[in-house]
Amino acid sequence: MARSALSALVAVASFSYVAGQATLSTFPATPIASLHFAYPSQVPYKVVPDQYARGTQFGYNICNSTTENQQSLCQTAFVNGIDDFCILAPSQPNSTIGDTEGEEVIWCTKKGHGGRLIPDGTITGIQVLRNTNYVQLFAFLNQANIDISPPDFGGELDPHGQDLLGNPIGGLLYSTAFSSDNKTIQQINEWNMFVGGNTSAIKVCNPAGPNPAGFCQHTLDRIGWQYNMPNSAVNGVFEVCDSDAMDIPGVYTVNGQTLSYSQPPESLGPISTLPYTARIPASSNCVTFQSSALYTDLASISAPTPTGTSSGSTPTASGKGTAGTGTGTRSSSASTASSTGKSNGAGTLTASLFSSIVGVAFSIAFIA
Ligand SMILES: *[C@@H]1O[C@H](CO)[C@@H](O)[C@H](O)[C@H]1NC(C)=O
Ligand SMILES: *[C@@H]1O[C@H](CO)[C@@H](O)[C@H](O)[C@H]1NC(C)=O
Ligand SMILES: *[C@@H]1O[C@H](CO)[C@@H](O)[C@H](O)[C@H]1NC(C)=O
Ligand SMILES: *[C@@H]1O[C@H](CO)[C@@H](O)[C@H](O)[C@H]1NC(C)=O
């Protein structure tokens, strides 16, 4: 959640301070996003062992074969590549992200991270865009399979949060994506993730890059992945591409002038218009895969019984000739990227914007 909510929440927190008998702090002495723990030797059982005004850490950070099951409450995520990443999602079926943002647990595509596994067939398409600044994943999902209420448009998670405890509280993230040998595990202190609307958009920023906090901007949570993680993902296609770096989220150019957008506070009401559209960065060298080749660890994990949703409609796949046709290369350019991006993303923007706002309002009510 963005800093723009901070003042409202500080007011809420001081109210509970006056009303309650305990003097619980709102903020940690050190923001969670500034803590460094070498993996695995320095990872504590809980990054946030104490109680704060918002609550305590829901799960734990030391995760291993004992905690690797479908009830796991592991909150140490990995985002390594197209075949090996974790989504942060609820621990109980039919939950909304807004109600559980402080409590999300890891759901992974591979064994070995000590968390839950994403049921087979949940991910129906994915695009990974990578460059030296960041690695970004955009996945199409059947979100009910990872305990998210089917109609939920979700929200944004990051290691900052309204009170610097992170969402989830105490969550950690690691990656091998920026190591030269593709094996060394590094902590990622700047990342964010949009989850909901049957999609998940994840960005992890290179700690050695020139501007990880900029590329992984976390203050634009109400304007969705469309502005924070523009992409040309197509449902049914599983691909990894090299990509130019996107514009820093919120920075845009009009008539040669570079301008910066700040998200208005919720008190000013819904965001109905934006002064720009985020550019989808040019991508190249796309390599496509079959999902069965990527997610071999998931074959034994079947989806839970559907949680009584009304319609029996299947997830909408925008029919693609190239889907699942095996490993190969697909050329891509900025212009084709834009047109496929529009056909996928634009239609959901209004709903997504609206629901983010509802989600934020909900979480404020929840915290209060
Ligand atoms: C495995 O993880 C659990 C839960 O965090 C922890 O209590 C236990 O000590 C860990 N086991 C090992 C061998 O590290
Ligand atoms: C690096 O490792 C990730 C995670 O296993 C994998 O997805 C990716 O293909 C690897 N990249 C290279 C260049 O080997
Ligand atoms: C997610 O997909 C399910 C199954 O198709 C559908 O019922 C639900 O409306 C979708 N949710 C959103 C937010 O689009
Ligand atoms: C899921 O949650 C919604 C909203 O709280 C509720 O209306 C619905 O009945 C729940 N579905 C199931 C199967 O529990």
Side-chain angles (χ1 to χ4, degrees), residues 45 60 62 64 67:
Y45 179 62
Y60 40 77
I62 294 180
N64 50 44
T67 68

Side-chain angles (χ1 to χ4, degrees), residues 156-159 173 190-194 201-205 215-219 228-229:
E156 191 257 13
L157 306 169
D158 64 62
L173 196 146
E190 294 294 351
W191 57 268
N192 65 343
M193 197 177 287
F194 285 82
I202 303 171
K203 187 156 49 172
V204 293
C205 283
F215 283 108
C216 282
Q217 185 58 255
H218 62 94
T219 59
N228 289 277
M229 304 186 205

